[in-house]
Amino acid sequence: MPQDDDEDPRNGAVEANDHAHQSPLKKPRLTRPISEPDILQEFSHHQQGFARINNGSFGSCPRSVLSAQNTWHLRFLQQPDEFFFNSLRKGILESRAAVKALINADDVDDVSLVDNATTAAAIVLQQVGRQFADGSFRKNDAVIMFHCAFPAVKKSIGAYIGPAGGSVVEVRLPFPVRSNEEIIAEFKKGLERGKINGGRVRFAMIDHITSMPSVVLPVRELIRVCREEGVDQVFVDGAHSIGSVPVDVKEIDADFYVSNLYKWFFAPPAVAFLHCKNSKGLVDLHHPVVSQEYGKGLALESSWVGNRDYTPQLVVPSILEFVNRFEGGIKGIMKRNHDGVVKMGTMLAESWGTMLGSPPEMCASMIMVGLPSRLCVTSDDDAMSLRTHLRVYHRIEVPTYYQALRNEDRDPKDKDGFITGYVRISRQIYNTDEDYHRLKNAINQILEDGKICSMLPVE
Amino acid sequence: MDSPTTNNHNHIHTHHLNGASTISQPSKKPKLLSSSFITPAEIHEEFSHHDPSVARINNGSFGCCPASVIAAQHRSQLHYLRQPDNFYFNELKKGILQSRTIIKDLVNAKHVDEISIVDNATTAAAIVLQHTAWSFHEGTFQKGDVVLMLHYAYGAVKKSMEAYVTRAGGHVIEVPLPFPVASNEEIVREFRKALERGKSEGKRIRLAVIDHVTSMPCVVIPVKELVQICREEGVEKVFIDAAHSIGCVDVDMEEIGADFYTSNLHKWFFCPPSIAFLYTRKIPKGGSELHHPVVSHEYGNGLAVESAWIGTRDYSAQLVVPAALEFVNRFQGGIEGIKKRNHDAVVEMGEMLAQSWGTHLGSPPDMCGSMIMVGLPTSLGIACDDDALGLRVHLREQFGVEVPIYYRPPRDGEVGCVTGYARISHQVYNKVDDYHKFRDAVNQLVNNGFTCALLSG
């Protein structure tokens, strides 16, 4: 059926190149940057007529990359043994080398590819747990993280640190936030709390860009503070970062840095990189799924965790090709996304009479925008109802956030009351201003109709 | 919503990328209600993406996936990409539960709670053994308590034992198995001896890890009998690593009676890579639960729910079990018919090869499923694992035959014995020509005076 052929991005790329074989860093001759119609075509498999302003959760993948992925998949299906013995390892190494160059890592051995940041967190936290279990870290030592760390990561800390005897210090993220200094001050207080029982803070889990509420944290400064305080290991959860902020692992200087490539770097679901500073010195870092590669270093262990579909890990060179079709490459994309999301966030805040959750310089390709207090977002359920209502009735996908009042002078207000709800809008290359006007109008319509969250139909 | 099972669309997924070959779905609508079954021509079309120049007699390693199931997978992937939030909130959980329910019925488990879907048997082994390690750390198990496994356990599982059991203070005992093997009794005898060894130091045997179908050399193990012996001898838990079994041998959880059982659906059940199930027998409330090592917000909700969400990933291979079942039911006798025909054919082909080469089979027909070990002529001079691998590569590159080769070291006192075996498989896409091609390749090598020693030159 022609309709399906048009929709299925596996039916050939916009440009029919054999992406699987080109050298990772070779920039194609850029005769002209990719055009608007080309961009639309690359994302024509997205649901049409839908304002997709939640790139943060599941990311997005253009047709050319999906097509490259399919080429790899087909090669495996044609002759899997030959693929396994002759192509797979090479292909993964090429992808890792491409990532190494992208993030300014010293050694490709330090770069592992895993499914996602959730997996990387399990890997790193298991290792921390073992250090508590074997006594390298003592029972009254602590692990520090932000209270808004991603839920999976919080559970992972609960699973691997708690039972092993470590205690956890949570740092409350000031939100809405005005400056990096507010965050650093809270973090320093948290570090002090970690020393209360006479122990040390052994491990710090720091988001590069928090998920909800979304703010870009001053990771370099926070890590400097950690080093000054003698924190043994710092793990940066940069799930959102690659493709939305510059990532230079040498400069950031964390012990572990993870970022998902499928969120902002156009990879298909799902692949992430985990960079481990000086991995050769880490004898006890392992992928929990043990294969014949056990003991050869995390990068090799991760490259074979039993028979699976490794195609998402193989397309990094193809992604670079895609990204380099844009003016300024990934840097240009990041800048335009940032400028666009700030402009649209400001537009929404003005229309609704609210405000932004952070200053523009503390956001990348996502920004938090306050929702009018009249909507009465009084719980997580209210926030979810609003999100569902927007999806079903207004064809808008945008994540919502509820934050209870903290009874401080700083509780945000609009002319009608206190602001307790926010949307996290994102901007990626497939978005147009129309998407955000649609959101603006939808909220204004709900208000005009006199509805509040708990009254909104969701089916 | 377009369910992955709907076969109403005539998809042709052609690739105009440098002449890459196509994956196409058969142009006829499958007749779901009539008594006519899938035809040889339709089978050929379903596997037309296989490299036609290769005699593909290694279904055991990477399995196979028919075009209609691949198409179902593509539809599922497309559906996700189109609007991932909606997919996550409204479709994913339902789809995984549907797959788990089908598997539960296929393997005769009592409750769908007992069926978790994971990537592969390697992952399942890590889940079970990580739990064992935790029991040692907690003190539930004492240092030196025993975990038993077969000598022919899969390489990854052996490493997993090292990483999780030995490292945690457990004592691993390997059960040596004879190969070639003549009867189940030989295996049972060795197993009992190993159990005795395990109990002899007064330690408890906490876990026995038993293959249902060993990988290399490939033999069907009498698991039901071994599980019974374990129960009699006070082995606390039994984990069956049945990577190959579903679609290849009979799989019945109530019959077999193990505590944990895993099998890959992408080997012999026509699913794309990758999907496996891990069966965990229901334990009384308060018993220690298994966990998926990748912790998500579902942590603590039971292994099945944990495994259904381990962060953003492509879950499509786990969602096409209905499509695989539909495919299987186009065959006479469904999966049972397929298993029987595969078995009969691989035995017949194995005997044909053994006769042509003047060798023998590695096990009697009743100890094999859809794969069988066939002795290779001694003149080939397979003297080590590297030789076996080298011969395999040589057969692939020079003769277009894909078949895994096993090096079987001579035992004390053995002279001039067969040291190399080929593990041939039969799946629905195979033709007699595949095995003739292999037969002729080996005969040619023998006639040319080929030995493996020549490969390392």
Side-chain angles (χ1 to χ4, degrees):
Chain A
M1 294 189 119
Q3 183 199 0
D4 289 308
D5 281 343
D6 285 339
E7 282 185 8
D8 194 326
R10 284 162 185 79
N11 289 341
V14 173
E15 288 165 14
N17 289 321
D18 190 352
H19 299 275
H21 292 295
Q22 293 206 20
S23 143
L25 299 177
K26 187 171 98 183
K27 277 195 181 151
R29 249 191 344 267
L30 200 67
T31 47
R32 57 171 176 81
I34 189 170
S35 68
E36 282 300 319
D38 282 346
I39 297 176
L40 283 178
Q41 169 71 347
E42 286 282 359
F43 294 97
S44 57
H45 54 287
H46 285 190
Q47 185 166 0
Q48 299 301 299
F50 211 89
R52 186 164 162 147
I53 39 188
N54 181 26
N55 198 74
S57 288
F58 300 102
S60 53
C61 185
R63 288 169 69 115
S64 356
V65 176
L66 290 168
S67 176
Q69 181 189 19
N70 201 38
T71 304
W72 284 105
H73 196 225
L74 187 57
R75 277 173 58 187
F76 169 85
L77 293 167
Q78 280 171 333
Q79 220 296 42
D81 299 76
E82 197 272 332
F83 184 84
F84 172 74
F85 283 106
N86 298 331
S87 309
L88 179 62
R89 213 157 269 208
K90 241 179 13 198
I92 294 198
L93 184 57
E94 263 186 45
S95 279
R96 285 168 52 214
V99 170
K100 166 188 172 288
L102 198 58
I103 63 176
N104 193 28
D106 271 334
D107 193 341
V108 75
D109 288 345
D110 292 345
V111 178
S112 304
L113 295 178
V114 295
D115 279 349
N116 46 42
T118 301
T119 305
I123 290 172
V124 174
L125 291 170
Q126 280 195 349
Q127 171 264 155
V128 176
R130 281 195 282 273
Q131 296 198 70
F132 275 102
D134 70 17
S136 322
F137 295 169
R138 284 191 277 271
K139 288 289 183 273
N140 53 358
D141 286 343
V143 156
I144 191 170
M145 67 174 177
F146 282 92
H147 88 283
C148 58
F150 193 65
V153 178
K154 283 184 127 173
K155 287 277 190 179
S156 211
I157 288 182
Y160 291 123
I161 308 296
S167 61
V168 181
V169 173
E170 286 196 10
V171 176
R172 193 165 200 79
L173 181 76
F175 186 80
V177 67
R178 284 196 286 247
S179 71
N180 285 336
E181 284 63 46
E182 293 180 357
I183 296 175
I184 295 168
E186 278 302 309
F187 190 74
K188 282 184 172 165
K189 281 196 251 173
L191 285 174
E192 287 308 305
R193 286 205 306 278
K195 302 196 286 199
I196 275 176
N197 293 330
R200 290 175 50 180
V201 176
R202 292 292 194 168
F203 180 84
M205 234 270 334
I206 303 174
D207 298 72
H208 196 153
I209 301 176
T210 54
S211 176
M212 266 307 197
S214 187
V215 176
V216 176
L217 301 190
V219 283
R220 287 164 194 74
E221 288 90 332
L222 291 172
I223 292 178
R224 227 190 351 260
V225 168
C226 286
R227 301 295 184 210
E228 282 163 15
E229 293 293 320
V231 175
D232 285 58
Q233 288 183 342
V234 180
F235 172 38
V236 174
D237 177 2
H240 285 274
S241 62
I242 188 121
S244 69
V245 291
V247 177
D248 181 326
V249 291
K250 276 219 283 281
E251 206 207 345
I252 293 170
D253 197 37
D255 297 285
F256 306 101
Y257 191 105
V258 65
S259 189
N260 288 322
L261 289 138
Y262 66 83
K263 279 191 194 284
W264 295 95
F265 207 73
F266 306 107
V271 56
F273 73 81
L274 173 59
H275 176 263
C276 305
K277 187 166 143 183
N278 187 23
S279 61
K280 288 188 185 56
L282 292 164
V283 289
D284 199 26
L285 191 72
H286 292 287
H287 197 293
V289 177
V290 175
S291 77
Q292 295 91 327
E293 302 294 320
Y294 182 73
K296 297 183 185 170
L298 182 66
L300 284 180
E301 290 184 10
S302 305
S303 70
W304 185 256
V305 288
N307 191 16
R308 291 187 1 153
D309 180 357
Y310 291 92
T311 57
Q313 297 189 7
L314 295 166
V315 295
V316 180
S318 303
I319 297 173
L320 284 173
E321 260 183 55
F322 173 75
V323 146
N324 288 333
R325 286 163 64 194
F326 288 76
E327 188 156 353
I330 191 64
K331 288 207 178 88
I333 290 172
M334 290 194 299
K335 181 172 191 336
R336 287 187 295 273
N337 282 345
H338 172 75
D339 292 346
V341 87
V342 170
K343 181 167 161 224
M344 291 295 101
T346 306
M347 181 274 290
L348 290 169
E350 265 168 24
S351 170
W352 298 336
T354 60
M355 79 302 171
L356 297 176
S358 73
E361 63 272 15
M362 290 178 76
C363 86
S365 314
M366 297 183 290
I367 199 162
M368 303 295 287
V369 186
L371 286 164
S373 61
R374 271 197 296 141
L375 279 178
C376 296
V377 182
T378 64
S379 64
D380 289 333
D381 282 347
D382 280 348
M384 186 52 90
S385 295
L386 177 61
R387 177 176 182 176
T388 307
H389 176 81
L390 288 169
R391 178 187 310 124
V392 176
Y393 283 85
H394 296 273
R395 295 163 70 76
I396 298 169
E397 188 63 55
V398 67
T400 51
Y401 172 65
Y402 161 69
Q403 179 168 289
L405 300 177
R406 291 172 178 181
N407 289 326
E408 296 157 9
D409 297 328
R410 301 250 323 261
D411 281 333
K413 290 209 275 253
D414 62 13
K415 63 176 169 42
D416 300 307
F418 287 103
I419 291 172
T420 51
Y422 298 79
V423 285
R424 182 186 79 188
I425 61 166
S426 66
R427 183 126 195 171
Q428 190 39 301
I429 56 181
Y430 54 79
N431 287 117
T432 64
D433 287 355
E434 171 55 36
D435 297 329
Y436 310 88
H437 288 294
R438 178 128 48 126
L439 175 62
K440 172 193 76 186
N441 295 334
I443 296 293
N444 286 338
Q445 183 67 55
I446 292 170
L447 291 170
E448 252 180 64
D449 294 345
K451 293 234 163 47
I452 62 173
C453 280
S454 51
M455 293 159 67
L456 293 171
V458 293
E459 311 256 323
Chain B
M1 199 275 277
D2 197 12
S3 132
T5 63
T6 309
N7 261 342
N8 293 333
H9 300 275
N10 297 334
H11 287 293
I12 305 292
H13 297 277
T14 54
H15 299 274
H16 307 289
L17 303 174
N18 295 342
S21 64
T22 67
I23 291 183
S24 62
Q25 194 174 349
S27 44
K28 283 215 175 80
K29 234 194 242 195
K31 295 182 194 142
L32 298 171
L33 296 175
S34 89
S35 57
S36 76
F37 298 105
I38 191 170
T39 65
E42 284 168 345
I43 297 175
H44 184 78
E45 248 190 280
E46 285 279 5
F47 294 97
S48 57
H49 52 281
H50 286 190
D51 186 337
S53 69
V54 175
R56 188 164 164 147
I57 40 187
N58 181 25
N59 198 72
S61 288
F62 299 100
C64 63
C65 188
S68 35
V69 178
I70 293 169
Q73 183 184 24
H74 281 173
R75 282 194 297 275
S76 180
Q77 286 166 326
L78 190 60
H79 202 77
Y80 168 85
L81 293 165
R82 199 165 166 269
Q83 220 294 48
D85 299 76
N86 181 63
F87 191 90
Y88 171 75
F89 284 110
N90 299 324
E91 325 275 3
L92 179 60
K93 271 192 186 169
K94 258 189 344 212
I96 300 247
L97 183 58
Q98 188 182 17
S99 288
R100 285 169 55 211
T101 306
I102 290 173
I103 294 169
K104 161 194 164 285
D105 291 335
L106 278 172
V107 306
N108 194 26
K110 275 221 187 84
H111 308 274
V112 74
D113 289 349
E114 293 176 322
I115 303 290
S116 304
I117 292 181
V118 296
D119 276 348
N120 46 41
T122 301
T123 304
I127 290 173
V128 175
L129 294 176
Q130 185 177 244
H131 182 259
T132 305
W134 185 244
S135 300
F136 276 103
H137 286 312
E138 261 186 339
T140 319
F141 295 174
Q142 273 71 59
K143 300 263 180 286
D145 279 353
V146 170
V147 174
L148 210 68
M149 72 170 171
L150 304 185
H151 174 64
Y152 295 133
Y154 189 61
V157 176
K158 285 190 153 179
K159 283 287 186 183
S160 214
M161 293 284 252
E162 193 188 303
Y164 288 120
V165 178
T166 309
R167 201 195 150 139
H171 177 50
V172 177
I173 291 183
E174 285 192 16
V175 183
L177 291 185
F179 183 80
V181 64
S183 71
N184 285 338
E185 283 65 49
E186 294 182 11
I187 294 177
V188 169
R189 204 173 23 242
E190 289 297 335
F191 193 76
R192 282 195 186 278
K193 276 200 278 191
L195 281 179
E196 284 313 308
R197 248 176 32 240
K199 286 156 64 173
S200 66
E201 289 141 37
K203 298 285 186 184
R204 298 230 13 212
I205 302 180
R206 297 294 187 174
L207 179 70
V209 180
I210 306 173
D211 298 66
H212 194 153
V213 180
T214 53
S215 177
M216 268 307 206
C218 188
V219 174
V220 176
I221 304 288
V223 286
K224 179 175 167 162
E225 206 176 330
L226 295 184
V227 170
Q228 253 162 13
I229 293 171
C230 284
R231 302 299 183 209
E232 286 162 16
E233 298 293 322
V235 173
E236 201 166 290
K237 298 266 188 200
V238 183
F239 169 37
I240 309 282
D241 173 8
H244 286 275
S245 66
I246 188 156
C248 174
V249 293
D250 292 341
V251 178
D252 185 323
M253 296 298 96
E254 292 300 300
E255 258 284 289
I256 293 169
D259 299 283
F260 313 111
Y261 187 106
T262 185
S263 188
N264 290 323
L265 284 102
H266 55 261
K267 279 193 193 286
W268 295 94
F269 208 78
F270 306 104
C271 287
S274 66
I275 169 178
F277 74 87
L278 171 56
Y279 163 86
T280 50
R281 184 168 289 268
K282 243 181 175 4
I283 51 173
K285 263 197 160 53
S288 179
E289 295 231 341
L290 298 184
H291 289 286
H292 198 292
V294 177
V295 174
S296 78
H297 65 273
E298 298 286 4
Y299 184 76
N301 291 335
L303 180 64
V305 173
E306 289 183 10
S307 305
W309 185 257
I310 48 174
T312 298
R313 296 190 353 155
D314 181 352
Y315 291 91
S316 62
Q318 302 187 358
L319 297 169
V320 294
V321 178
L325 186 62
E326 238 182 75
F327 174 76
V328 146
N329 286 335
R330 289 164 67 191
F331 289 76
Q332 189 163 12
I335 192 62
E336 297 304 316
I338 292 172
K339 283 195 302 208
K340 181 172 191 335
R341 289 187 295 273
N342 279 343
H343 171 75
D344 291 346
V346 87
V347 170
E348 191 189 329
M349 293 297 103
E351 282 168 350
M352 180 273 290
L353 292 170
Q355 209 172 62
S356 174
W357 299 334
T359 58
H360 55 262
L361 298 177
S363 73
D366 62 350
M367 289 180 76
C368 87
S370 315
M371 297 179 287
I372 199 162
M373 304 296 283
V374 187
L376 289 160
T378 53
S379 69
L380 293 178
I382 299 161
C384 60
D385 288 333
D386 281 349
D387 283 349
L389 187 59
L391 177 60
R392 176 179 182 174
V393 172
H394 191 73
L395 285 165
R396 177 188 306 129
E397 291 176 359
Q398 303 303 324
F399 292 93
V401 175
E402 187 62 56
V403 65
I405 311 288
Y406 171 68
Y407 165 64
R408 185 257 184 202
R411 300 259 160 91
D412 285 339
E414 280 182 345
V415 168
C417 60
V418 169
T419 53
Y421 290 80
R423 182 185 79 188
I424 63 167
S425 65
H426 188 281
Q427 188 42 297
V428 299
Y429 54 78
N430 283 119
K431 305 264 165 45
V432 173
D433 276 347
D434 297 328
Y435 308 89
H436 289 164
K437 196 172 179 189
F438 184 32
R439 173 199 66 193
D440 298 343
V442 169
N443 285 334
Q444 187 179 324
L445 287 173
V446 168
N447 291 338
N448 292 347
F450 171 93
T451 69
C452 286
L454 296 170
L455 288 171
S456 40

